[in-house]
Amino acid sequence: MAVKIIIRTPNHLGDCIMAMPMVNETREAYPGSTVTVLTPQHLADLFIGNPGIDRVLTIPTEHVHGVISVFKVKEIIAPGEFDLGYILPPSFGAASSFKLGGVKERIGYIADGRRLLLTKPLPLPTPLNSEHRSKVYFDLLRRGAGVSIDYVKPKIFLSENDITGAMKLLGGFGIAESDKYAVLAFRAVAESRRWGTENYTELARRIISQCGIKVVLVGTEENRKSGDDIVGAAKTTEGAIVNLAGKTSLRELGTICSRAVVFVGNDSGPAHLAAAVGAPIVVLSGADDPKETSPMAGKKRMIYREQLECISCVKNKCPLKGGDFMRCMKEITVDMVMSELKTLVQ
């Protein structure tokens, strides 16, 4: 009899992509099983068209966190009568909802006081944060299933429809199918990871003038105004730089990145997405910890001021003052980024 498996994904774009190897290989670990993914609604597009997934269930955005979310998730999953569940978020609530939802076997890492909610609680690798998070997720599957399977880097499956839709979107902004372009994710969510619009403006200007390619700016709706400011300040030939912030779906963004000559951004969700679709990437790393979360790209250049005592603090806001404030970002120059970028742009 086929095992009915449900996987609760992480809540953020980058983490979901780091979990892809685990998701993609679940059926390999459990031959003949059916695999359902439970994910926040805004991330569901990541899993569409994945041959390793039979069904995608979504959690409404307003119910991703909080006490009420436990009961809402229980209502979503209970009708599925799942035999086995993998719980990737380390929270008490995620494990509680699987327990209340009647998932018979519940596998997850020991964290947040939830050991008794799991039928197979597994200890995290030691020392903590010593392994790349993608491999930590994958090892949960290996250890939970008791099988030996090979790790493969994160991969997003794109379709012909994805490509057609993305090219239509680009065409509407004057980017032809034959045009070469760089993608810049110019605004990080965490304040501590922001390189600044002035730097991205100068970078865009130099990419256009020195590499002879166009520039596509990407981000959220909240970033659109900053993107417009970069376009205006760059003062380049009309159409050489376009701002798509807030105008792409996740799959459109992934497809646009897959066709780019190079991607530049912080260790962030878009960088992980670009890596998962095969784009060469330049990563500006500072407050993040690259040994744990750096995007796993085939072609990657990382700029990282490792000599700083505060490097990889993993704080969303820099706690330092004066001349020490955000040195990990301030000491990354446009010259440094261009030097690394040119090694990838052929």
Side-chain angles (χ1 to χ4, degrees), residues 98-304:
F98 270 43
K99 169 74 171 176
L100 293 174
V103 180
K104 298 179 182 67
E105 185 176 359
R106 300 172 299 280
I107 301 174
Y109 284 120
I110 300 168
D112 202 25
R114 65 184 193 166
R115 179 194 290 263
L116 294 179
L117 296 172
L118 303 171
T119 59
K120 199 168 191 176
L122 296 171
L124 282 159
T126 54
L128 289 176
N129 305 325
S130 59
E131 275 191 64
H132 197 281
R133 193 172 299 169
S134 181
K135 294 183 178 178
V136 173
Y137 289 141
F138 191 77
D139 281 343
L140 185 65
L141 174 65
R142 269 200 293 227
R143 293 163 65 189
V147 296
S148 177
I149 49 178
D150 293 331
Y151 173 84
V152 179
K153 288 180 180 179
K155 180 178 180 180
I156 302 295
F157 297 88
L158 299 173
S159 69
E160 288 298 323
N161 286 340
D162 294 327
I163 295 170
T164 300
M167 293 314 301
K168 182 178 180 180
L169 177 63
L170 287 172
F173 287 87
I175 306 289
E177 190 168 353
S178 59
D179 285 337
K180 293 182 178 180
Y181 59 85
V183 170
L184 307 187
F186 60 91
R187 180 86 168 178
V189 174
E191 292 179 17
S192 61
R193 304 187 190 191
R194 292 176 185 169
W195 194 43
T197 55
E198 289 185 5
N199 281 325
Y200 276 109
T201 299
E202 178 60 22
L203 179 65
R205 188 183 296 121
R206 291 201 203 177
I207 289 172
I208 293 165
S209 63
Q210 296 178 23
C211 300
I213 60 177
K214 295 185 176 182
V215 168
V216 175
L217 304 177
V218 298
T220 65
E221 177 64 34
E222 295 174 349
N223 306 151
R224 184 181 295 186
K225 173 62 168 59
S226 295
D228 288 340
D229 291 342
I230 292 173
V231 173
K235 297 179 180 178
T236 61
T237 305
E238 185 176 356
I241 176 172
V242 299
N243 178 23
L244 295 187
K247 299 174 183 176
T248 63
S249 68
L250 280 180
R251 298 194 73 80
E252 287 170 338
L253 175 57
T255 307
I256 288 167
C257 288
S258 76
R259 301 178 70 84
V261 174
V262 67
F263 170 98
V264 182
N266 295 87
D267 177 351
S268 60
H272 283 274
L273 183 59
V277 296
I281 67 174
V282 178
V283 180
L284 284 56
S285 185
D288 56 281
D289 185 354
K291 71 176 181 298
E292 185 188 5
T293 61
S294 188
M296 304 182 81
K299 293 182 179 179
K300 178 176 71 175
R301 297 290 185 271
M302 184 172 70
I303 304 175
Y304 181 65

Side-chain angles (χ1 to χ4, degrees), residues 11 13 34 42 60-61 114 122 126 177 220 222 226 313 324 338 346:
N11 295 325
L13 174 58
T34 60
H42 66 284
T61 302
R114 65 184 193 166
L122 296 171
T126 54
E177 190 168 353
T220 65
E222 295 174 349
S226 295
C313 68
D324 290 328
M338 280 301 297
Q346 303 299 325

Side-chain angles (χ1 to χ4, degrees), residues 13-32:
L13 174 58
D15 281 274
C16 270
I17 292 169
M18 287 188 279
M20 279 297 177
M22 181 271 177
V23 172
N24 292 345
E25 296 301 316
T26 295
R27 189 174 287 128
E28 178 73 16
Y30 296 91

